[in-house]
Amino acid sequence: MIVNNPPQASLDPATGVVTVDSEASSQQLWELGWFGKGTASRMKPLCCSDSSDSSSYRIARTEGRREPSTKRMKSLSQVPIDVSESVQLSHCEAFYLAFITRSIILTGIEGPSQCWECFSRVDQRFNVLMSAYYHFRSIDNWAPKSGVKYGTDFMLYHPGPRHTHSAQAVIVVDEDRDQITWADICQAVRNMNQVAKTVTIFSVQGVVNTLLQGQAPQADVDCCQDTLVSLD
C-alpha cells in the first residue's frame, strides 16, 4: 500500500499510546481504511465529520425523545463545551500501518522489533490480537475495530463502519495459554444475539513473531452460528 505524503503518528514508549499528529493525517487515515478513534467521539473522529454527519447524528439521537424545555435549553446553551479531541491508533492498527503496509510514518520507536516489544509489554495479548487483526484485515478484507463496548476483542465491518453496522464480534483465543469453555461461548452468543451479531471464535496456535518476517500466523476460525444451532 503506497501512500503519497503518508500520515504521521507518534508513539509514547512509556505508555504505548499512539497519537495521530494532525487533523490532516487523521482524515487521511480514516479515508484510507477507517483507521483511528477519536478520544471524544463514538466511532468516526470529529475532525473527519462533515455537517451532514453531525445533522444525521443529532436527528438519530433525538428521534423519539421528548423535546427539552426552553429553560433547560437556555441553561445548556450557556455551558461551554469543549469538543476537541486527539485521534489515537490501536496497537494493531499502528503496527499494521507502520510495518506491514508501510503507509504511515511512526515516530518515537526504532523498527518493528522495538515496536513489537513495546506493545507486548503494555498488552500481554498483543501478539495474539495482532495475528487476528492481520488475518481479518489483510486476508478477509474486513475492517476490524475495538470490541470493548461489547466485551469482545474486535468488531468486524465490511466494507467499513462508514457504510454499515458491524456484522461479527470476534473473540481471540491463544490455544497455548487461554481456556475457553462452552459456557463462555454460550454467554457470548446470547449477548451478541441481542444486538444481531454473529460470534466468531478466532483460535491462534503456536504464536511467534511471524509477522516480523512477513509470514501469516497459523489460525483457525470457527463461526459459532454454524456450531450452535439454537440456544432457546
Side-chain angles (χ1 to χ4, degrees), residues 78-92:
Q78 298 174 352
V79 178
I81 300 176
D82 182 11
V83 294
S84 62
E85 67 173 1
S86 61
V87 177
Q88 298 178 350
L89 295 173
S90 70
H91 294 159
C92 293

Side-chain angles (χ1 to χ4, degrees), residues 6-222:
Q8 298 187 24
S10 302
L11 168 63
D12 182 352
T15 62
V17 175
V18 181
T19 305
V20 182
D21 290 349
S22 66
E23 289 189 0
S25 292
S26 299
Q27 180 76 42
Q28 196 173 359
L29 285 170
W30 186 259
E31 294 176 353
L32 186 65
W34 306 283
F35 296 100
K37 169 70 172 66
T39 55
S41 54
R42 298 177 63 186
M43 176 62 72
K44 186 176 183 179
L46 295 175
C47 63
C48 302
S49 301
D50 52 30
S51 58
S52 61
D53 292 334
S54 301
S55 300
S56 300
Y57 175 75
R58 286 196 297 269
I59 293 173
R61 294 286 290 177
T62 58
E63 185 177 1
R65 296 185 179 182
R66 185 176 62 182
E67 289 294 330
S69 64
T70 304
K71 183 178 180 181
R72 173 68 172 168
M73 290 294 292
K74 184 177 180 180
S75 63
L76 288 176
S77 64
Q78 298 174 352
V79 178
I81 300 176
D82 182 11
V83 294
S84 62
E85 67 173 1
S86 61
V87 177
Q88 298 178 350
L89 295 173
S90 70
H91 294 159
C92 293
E93 288 178 329
F95 191 89
Y96 179 83
L97 289 168
F99 303 111
I100 296 180
T101 64
R102 301 185 183 278
S103 51
I104 68 169
I105 298 174
L106 183 62
T107 61
I109 208 77
E110 296 182 2
S113 297
Q114 188 178 0
C115 184
W116 189 281
E117 292 175 1
C118 175
F119 289 160
S120 298
R121 184 182 69 254
V122 176
D123 183 358
Q124 295 182 355
R125 299 183 68 232
F126 169 71
N127 59 342
V128 180
L129 296 177
M130 188 65 231
S131 299
Y133 185 91
Y134 175 85
H135 176 91
F136 288 115
R137 174 67 80 166
S138 296
I139 300 176
D140 288 350
N141 201 31
W142 290 93
K145 303 297 288 186
S146 172
V148 65
K149 177 180 177 181
Y150 298 95
T152 63
D153 292 307
F154 296 110
M155 303 301 294
L156 300 183
Y157 295 83
H158 186 75
R162 183 178 183 179
H163 303 284
T164 182
H165 291 290
S166 57
Q168 298 186 43
V170 179
I171 298 174
V172 182
V173 178
D174 181 357
E175 289 201 352
D176 296 332
R177 296 187 302 178
D178 298 335
Q179 291 185 352
I180 187 169
T181 66
W182 277 106
D184 297 328
I185 296 176
C186 289
Q187 180 180 7
V189 172
R190 281 188 176 275
N191 290 339
M192 292 303 102
N193 184 56
Q194 303 302 314
V195 287
K197 313 293 184 189
T198 298
V199 177
T200 297
I201 307 297
F202 186 93
S203 177
V204 184
Q205 300 175 345
V207 177
V208 293
N209 296 359
T210 55
L211 291 176
L212 295 177
Q213 289 80 39
Q215 303 175 12
Q218 296 181 355
D220 177 42
V221 181
D222 296 323

